Amino acid sequence: MRYLGLLAASFSLLFSLPAMAWNATGHRLIAAIAYDRLTPKARARVDALIRQHPDYEKIFLRDVSSTDPTVRARAAFIAAAVWPDQIKGDPRFYDETRSNASPTQLLPGFPDMARHTTWHYYDTPITPDGAEAEIQKPPHALSELNRIIPIIGTKADIPPTSASNPTYLLPWLEHIEGDVHQPLHCVSRFLKSMPKGDQGGNLVYIGTRNLHSLWDGAAGRDDSEAYAAKYIADATAANPPTRHNEKKPEKWIEEGYKIAISDVYTFGLETGTRDHPVALPSGYEANAAKVAQQRIAIAGYRLAAVLNEKLK
Ligand SMILES: [Zn+2]
């Protein structure tokens, strides 16, 4: 989800929920694909990290009825991937990007209580008509991935209150790595008619929803085990893992940028307002679902590759 500023945020409360990045389904699928590809050693280490998270019982295991430790560990890892979106609506946390932000009380086990809403995306500018672009300042998805990946496997004894605490950072790594495999988390399109950019498609109306939301939901909206099993079987069969072990966040985002141009902004230079929403070309949603299936599989493989390398 991207924050659109107060005005747009209050509109979105009136008319629709704001876009949430890959929705929970997308993040859960990516985490499941990754978890099932971890080496026994990396799996043991992520399990140990997740168990120390302050929200382990309260949130990660909230919907888990099984008492089998293996089932619980996998479920907690998968649930942790959604946590950075959940805290956007959690009153324990505050939105540090608001001009009137005041920090909420620091709770045990957390380095800070900020929602870090800007960590979810990196706005590579797309400027098809030569409009001037704004460059996003860090912290953003790229700066945070490049900060987190080198320290996720540290064996040093780091206090929970440190911003470099791997237990705190693991759900973030799972989540942001997933987000940047959604092409609209890698770009913002600037047009002369939209000089502030479209906020990753959040401002492009395509009927009752926006372009960002269409892509967030392109892997479906179903968190059942049965749906995940079928989706993962299909996605991994259609996109075999062999070629997908790129570990550089810059490359992940560059791919997202290219896909945004080839598969997302295929409707010309319309901005898509509420009164005049963009009419998408026929077959658009079917293609989005296909692209999403590929990105979900690749994101899962790459998350596993990073964790296997860093948590040896
Ligand atoms: Zn996100």
Side-chain angles (χ1 to χ4, degrees):
M1 169 169 113
R2 315 271 296 252
Y3 273 84
L4 314 179
L6 265 180
L7 182 65
S10 48
F11 268 118
S12 64
L13 285 176
L14 285 172
F15 295 107
S16 65
L17 288 170
M20 290 295 282
W22 287 125
N23 56 18
T25 303
H27 283 291
R28 292 176 61 85
L29 292 167
I30 292 165
I33 291 169
Y35 191 82
D36 293 340
R37 294 180 170 275
L38 295 178
T39 61
K41 192 147 192 196
R43 192 175 297 167
R45 288 191 63 195
V46 301
D47 291 350
L49 287 174
I50 292 279
R51 264 199 307 273
Q52 291 165 34
H53 195 284
D55 281 343
Y56 177 71
E57 293 285 349
K58 182 185 157 84
I59 295 182
F60 300 166
L61 290 178
R62 188 175 48 199
D63 302 321
V64 183
S65 51
S66 171
T67 53
D68 179 338
T70 315
V71 172
R72 291 170 76 78
R74 183 174 184 275
F77 181 85
I78 292 170
V82 189
W83 184 87
D85 275 340
Q86 288 172 321
I87 65 171
K88 290 171 181 170
D90 184 331
R92 295 176 300 160
F93 297 84
Y94 71 102
D95 181 358
E96 80 284 8
T97 63
R98 296 208 171 173
S99 54
N100 60 348
S102 81
T104 46
Q105 190 196 351
L106 182 64
L107 297 174
F110 293 105
D112 64 72
M113 305 307 287
R115 289 181 175 146
H116 300 302
T117 53
T118 66
W119 293 12
H120 297 247
Y121 55 92
Y122 179 74
D123 282 342
T124 313
I126 295 182
T127 56
D129 67 1
E132 212 169 303
E134 287 174 18
I135 304 299
Q136 187 187 357
K137 293 188 195 73
H140 45 52
L142 182 58
S143 68
E144 295 317 291
L145 286 168
N146 280 332
R147 179 175 72 86
I148 294 169
I149 290 171
I151 56 178
I152 196 72
T154 181
K155 288 181 176 164
D157 196 14
I158 296 176
T161 50
S162 164
S164 303
N165 165 21
T167 283
Y168 174 74
L169 293 177
L170 182 55
W172 278 110
L173 173 57
E174 295 181 58
H175 185 89
I176 307 172
E177 193 268 354
D179 269 350
V180 298
H181 284 80
Q182 203 276 53
L184 282 172
H185 278 253
C186 304
V187 298
S188 191
R189 187 170 79 157
F190 295 82
L191 298 172
K192 287 181 175 153
S193 57
M194 197 177 250
K196 292 276 176 199
D198 71 356
Q199 299 182 343
N202 268 300
L203 300 183
V204 178
Y205 284 87
I206 54 167
T208 54
R209 55 182 172 162
N210 68 57
L211 188 66
H212 190 95
S213 158
L214 180 153
W215 280 88
D216 275 350
R221 295 180 190 278
D222 183 339
D223 294 341
S224 69
E225 271 298 322
Y227 180 82
K230 165 109 175 57
Y231 191 97
I232 291 168
D234 292 346
T236 53
N239 305 281
T242 42
R243 292 175 298 116
H244 302 300
N245 49 13
E246 175 60 59
K247 298 192 202 83
K248 287 197 196 73
E250 289 83 356
K251 294 280 182 194
W252 304 339
I253 290 172
E254 198 181 304
E255 280 177 8
Y257 168 82
K258 287 181 182 157
I259 293 170
I261 289 172
S262 62
D263 293 271
V264 177
Y265 292 101
T266 54
F267 47 81
L269 299 185
E270 285 178 77
T271 51
T273 60
R274 273 183 207 284
D275 293 340
H276 300 284
V278 171
L280 295 173
S282 72
Y284 188 95
E285 287 208 46
N287 183 61
K290 191 172 153 233
V291 172
Q293 189 198 53
Q294 182 186 44
R295 299 308 284 165
I296 295 274
I298 293 173
Y301 301 150
R302 289 173 172 170
L303 179 58
V306 167
L307 293 172
N308 283 336
E309 181 184 87
K310 297 297 176 189
L311 298 165
K312 280 191 197 130

